[in-house]
């Protein structure tokens, strides 16, 4: 019998921070029955700016922090933590820590490690122990060539192992875990197998992998530059890959599971030097799980079944980017939160049915 997961949603998936602030999103998520909310760093940083401008004073006791206080980020993180505790909602993760990849020198790696310590302190104050580190799109020539530091893929992955081992050591000092996630449009690292190869070689208890249904399926199933939106491969290629995933990643090394579907492109997305097709598609077209009526077509259920076969018992968390999140009205966070909860419940029902041998309606 599969264990029912706890549900979370990313703060970014409840509306653009241009129109909807972080406390509002937290309150909305709590009211709708989510157990957790991911804190997206851009939302948090804007919250800090708003506090500096004199907003959200009711979240601070006995008085708002001084705007020139160098510890204002920590005070703001603590205020968000208190708000979440008061609303009985957890913060499972802080994300996304970017650009931890393709270091051209030891100095560049050291700078990135020092920057990570800022994140670790914020995470501590938020009351979470997990920081998401994503792979990256690299706006330059492909970084693996004979005239570069990394001449082969093995060189590149070896450099990532070294970097993540050092990152994990720093994170241990703060009681923080590191989750490595492949982005579908990553220039070099864009598949779960690559992230797992790094995590396995790092071999530290606080360094694991994060899977995102959009990023996994958006690379290994979908292809937005094509009119069909689907890679021209036999479906058995995907199912074999999911079987390998379930048989390869241990349950204790899968630190977090994020969920999103996406709409099939109405016309092919074009890749540009600074905007890969999968990035553009991701930013505009993600959907909540089980929204086939809106054009969702990724086999999210199949991936989720594979994740559950691992023995994963952690969070199911929604991470949605879509142009609809730019809606300005105050109902935007609730509309998206309701859609997300509906999708999670529908997906869970389908997982239960598949586990019991009942035919799913999906």
């Amino acid at each position: 019998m599969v264990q029912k997961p706890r549900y979370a949603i990313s703060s970014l998936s409840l509306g653009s921070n241009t129109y909807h602030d972080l406390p509002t999103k937290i309150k909305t998520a709590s009211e709708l029955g989510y157990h957790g909310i991911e804190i997206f760093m851009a939302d948090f940083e804007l919250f800090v700016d708003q506090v500096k401008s004199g907003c959200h004073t009711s979240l601070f006791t006995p008085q708002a922090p001084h705007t020139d206080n160098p510890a204002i980020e920590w005070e703001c993180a603590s205020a968000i933590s208190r708000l979440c505790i008061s609303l009985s909602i957890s913060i499972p993760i802080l994300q996304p820590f970017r650009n931890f990849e393709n270091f051209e020198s030891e100095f560049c790696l050291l700078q990135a490690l020092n920057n990570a310590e800022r994140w670790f302190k914020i995470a501590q104050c938020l009351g979470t122990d997990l920081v998401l580190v994503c792979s990256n799109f690299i706006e330059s020539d492909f970084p693996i060539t004979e005239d570069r530091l990394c001449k082969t893929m093995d060189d590149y992955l070896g450099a990532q192992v070294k970097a993540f081992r050092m990152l994990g050591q720093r994170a241990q000092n703060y009681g923080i875990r590191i989750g490595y996630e492949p982005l579908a449009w990553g220039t070099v690292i864009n598949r779960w197998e690559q992230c797992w190869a790094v995590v396995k070689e790092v071999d530290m208890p606080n360094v694991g992998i994060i899977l995102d249904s959009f990023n996994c399926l958006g690379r290994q199933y979908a292809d937005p530059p094509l009119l069909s939106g689907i890679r021209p491969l036999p479906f058995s290629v995907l199912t074999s890959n999911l079987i390998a995933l379930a048989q390869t990643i241990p349950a204790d090394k899968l630190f977090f599971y994020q969920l999103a579907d996406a709409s099939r492109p109405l016309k092919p997305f074009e890749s540009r030097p600074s905007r890969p097709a999968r990035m553009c598609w991701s930013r505009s077209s993600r959907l909540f799980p089980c929204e086939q009526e809106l054009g969702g077509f990724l086999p999210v259920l199949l991936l989720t079944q594979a994740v559950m076969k691992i023995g994963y018992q952690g969070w199911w968390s929604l991470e949605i980017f879509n142009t609809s999140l730019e809606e300005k009205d105050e109902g935007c966070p609730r509309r998206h939160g309701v859609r997300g909860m509906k999708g999670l419940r529908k997906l869970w029902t389908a997982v239960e049915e598949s586990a019991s041998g009942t035919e799913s309606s999906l």
Side-chain angles (χ1 to χ4, degrees), residues 12 40 96 98 134 137 183 185 214-215 269 275-286 319-326:
L12 68 92
F40 193 62
R98 304 183 191 274
C134 59
F137 168 64
L183 296 187
W185 57 92
F214 175 87
N215 283 315
F269 280 80
R275 299 279 290 178
R278 285 183 172 89
M279 178 192 287
C280 297
W281 180 47
S282 171
R283 294 289 182 259
S284 64
S285 305
R286 291 200 194 192
E319 187 184 47
I320 310 300
F321 302 86
N322 195 288
T323 52
S324 66
L325 295 169
E326 297 295 328

Side-chain angles (χ1 to χ4, degrees), residues 295-315:
F297 74 106
L298 299 180
V300 176
L301 175 58
L302 285 180
L303 175 59
T304 303
Q305 290 170 329
V307 165
M308 300 308 281
K309 286 177 182 177
I310 290 173
Y312 178 71
Q313 296 182 1
W315 293 89

Side-chain angles (χ1 to χ4, degrees), residues 132-254:
L132 182 154
V133 181
C134 59
S135 66
N136 294 286
F137 168 64
I138 299 166
E139 290 193 60
S140 62
D141 295 333
F142 192 70
I144 303 176
T145 60
E146 282 297 323
D147 59 348
R148 298 230 176 186
L149 189 63
C150 294
K151 301 181 180 354
T152 66
M153 177 61 80
D154 285 344
D155 289 343
Y156 199 92
L157 293 177
Q160 285 297 92
V161 169
K162 174 185 174 181
F164 269 84
R165 191 168 285 145
M166 295 174 72
L167 185 66
Q169 290 167 351
R170 295 252 187 143
Q172 282 179 332
N173 297 329
Y174 296 84
I176 297 295
R177 296 179 298 146
I178 301 298
Y180 193 18
E181 179 194 3
L183 296 187
W185 57 92
T187 302
V188 180
I189 309 294
N190 49 46
R191 302 192 313 276
W192 69 263
E193 298 97 318
Q194 297 165 312
C195 278
W196 172 244
V198 172
V199 168
K200 182 180 179 182
E201 188 67 22
V202 168
D203 192 25
M204 293 180 65
N206 69 326
V207 177
I209 191 170
I210 290 176
L211 297 179
D212 178 302
S213 63
F214 175 87
N215 283 315
C216 287
L217 299 171
R219 167 58 62 172
Q220 293 168 276
Y221 175 76
D223 197 356
L226 300 181
L227 185 59
S228 67
I230 300 174
R231 295 179 66 193
L233 295 172
F235 195 71
S236 59
V237 174
L238 175 66
T239 55
S240 295
N241 183 269
L242 297 183
I243 290 170
L245 182 151
Q247 293 177 345
T248 300
I249 302 175
D252 65 339
K253 298 304 286 186
L254 177 53

Side-chain angles (χ1 to χ4, degrees), residues 257-291:
Y257 182 43
Q258 294 177 317
L259 282 156
D261 200 337
S263 57
R264 194 187 301 267
L266 297 177
K267 61 180 181 179
F269 280 80
E270 295 182 4
S271 284
R272 300 174 182 174
S274 62
R275 299 279 290 178
R278 285 183 172 89
M279 178 192 287
C280 297
W281 180 47
S282 171
R283 294 289 182 259
S284 64
S285 305
R286 291 200 194 192
L287 297 171
F288 294 102
C290 307
E291 291 192 316

Side-chain angles (χ1 to χ4, degrees), residues 14 33 69 128 167 215 229 319 343 360:
L14 290 167
N69 184 347
T128 185
L167 185 66
N215 283 315
E319 187 184 47
S360 171

